[in-house]
Amino acid sequence: MNKDEYLKQLERYLKKLPQKDYENAVEYFTEYFEDAGPENEQKVMAELGTPKEAAAELLRDLLAHKTEKHNDKENRCYLHNIIAISVLSILTASVSLPVICVGIAVVVCVILMIVCILIFMFCFDIMLMIYSGKMLFYGIAAVNHSLPGAFMFTGAGIFGIGCVILLSVFMAYICRWILNGLIYFVRWITRERSAAS
């Protein structure tokens, strides 16, 4: 592959960029090849990687630059540019789009399933707390009528409160485990992407 073929393929990956960014990118790569000279074309291509890899690297840098530079602006044109660059960087990634979509869908489904389980456990914890409080109240109220009944209701209420505490600790442990897992997953994805670059 020569310089012209390389630049043509690169332009094909970058053509959906906003016009100004597209022109700057093409000019940058053209000047980069011209500065290296015809004798170093192969060396420059090896340094940049495939046109797809070079485009992906440029898009990641451009996205990072735009998000840092315009952190406070929220106009529609800027948001459109960011979305376009993000989509292009995903499309130029070394992993194919269907695999990325399936991976995102699996992660979203797992997160939704865990959230549903946590909501169920939280509701069960509240229901158990209400029921245990009610049993404890009945136990205290039954002291005048029947001492064994009072002990039974009071014991059931205390047992229920203990279960509520254990379930709350267990839920906190699960939430912490999920949070650590998500942090590890994000670090792993980031590390994989930087290693692929």
Side-chain angles (χ1 to χ4, degrees):
M1 179 185 301
N2 62 23
K3 175 187 88 169
D4 295 330
E5 292 171 349
Y6 188 93
L7 288 174
K8 190 175 281 189
Q9 286 186 24
L10 188 62
E11 288 173 14
R12 197 171 61 224
Y13 287 117
L14 298 174
K15 69 182 175 185
K16 293 199 178 184
L17 276 173
Q19 186 63 31
K20 184 179 177 185
D21 293 328
Y22 171 77
E23 290 170 0
N24 289 340
V26 170
E27 182 181 338
Y28 168 77
F29 282 108
T30 306
E31 286 179 6
Y32 195 73
F33 273 101
E34 288 173 0
D35 290 344
E39 65 278 356
N40 292 324
E41 283 180 9
Q42 295 301 320
K43 185 179 176 185
V44 169
M45 285 187 258
E47 181 183 315
L48 292 174
T50 66
K52 191 174 188 179
E53 292 170 348
E57 182 66 31
L58 177 81
L59 291 169
R60 277 193 297 272
D61 292 344
L62 188 59
L63 181 62
H65 174 71
K66 284 192 177 285
T67 52
E68 287 172 10
K69 185 178 178 185
H70 300 287
N71 215 5
D72 297 332
K73 294 184 181 178
E74 293 191 10
N75 57 25
R76 193 175 264 187
C77 179
Y78 168 71
L79 186 60
H80 174 71
N81 288 345
I82 290 296
I83 291 171
I85 292 169
S86 300
V87 169
L88 283 171
S89 70
I90 289 172
L91 292 175
T92 58
S94 58
V95 180
S96 65
L97 185 61
V99 173
I100 291 172
C101 291
V102 168
I104 290 171
V106 167
V107 169
V108 167
C109 288
V110 168
I111 289 172
L112 286 175
M113 183 184 71
I114 290 170
V115 166
C116 289
I117 290 171
L118 287 174
I119 289 172
F120 169 76
M121 289 175 65
F122 180 73
C123 292
F124 182 76
D125 201 28
I126 289 175
M127 184 270 312
L128 187 61
M129 184 169 53
I130 292 169
Y131 184 73
S132 300
K134 193 174 178 182
M135 294 294 281
L136 192 59
F137 177 75
Y138 286 157
I140 293 170
V143 169
N144 293 338
H145 303 290
S146 168
L147 198 56
F151 285 144
M152 185 185 77
F153 281 114
T154 304
I158 292 172
F159 177 76
I161 290 171
C163 289
V164 166
I165 292 170
L166 283 175
L167 189 59
S168 299
V169 169
F170 181 67
M171 283 174 49
Y173 177 75
I174 287 178
C175 289
R176 183 175 162 204
W177 179 76
I178 291 168
L179 186 62
N180 288 338
L182 286 173
I183 290 170
Y184 175 77
F185 180 72
V186 168
R187 286 181 183 162
W188 179 75
I189 290 289
T190 309
R191 195 175 328 130
E192 287 293 317
R193 287 196 60 114
S194 62
S197 301

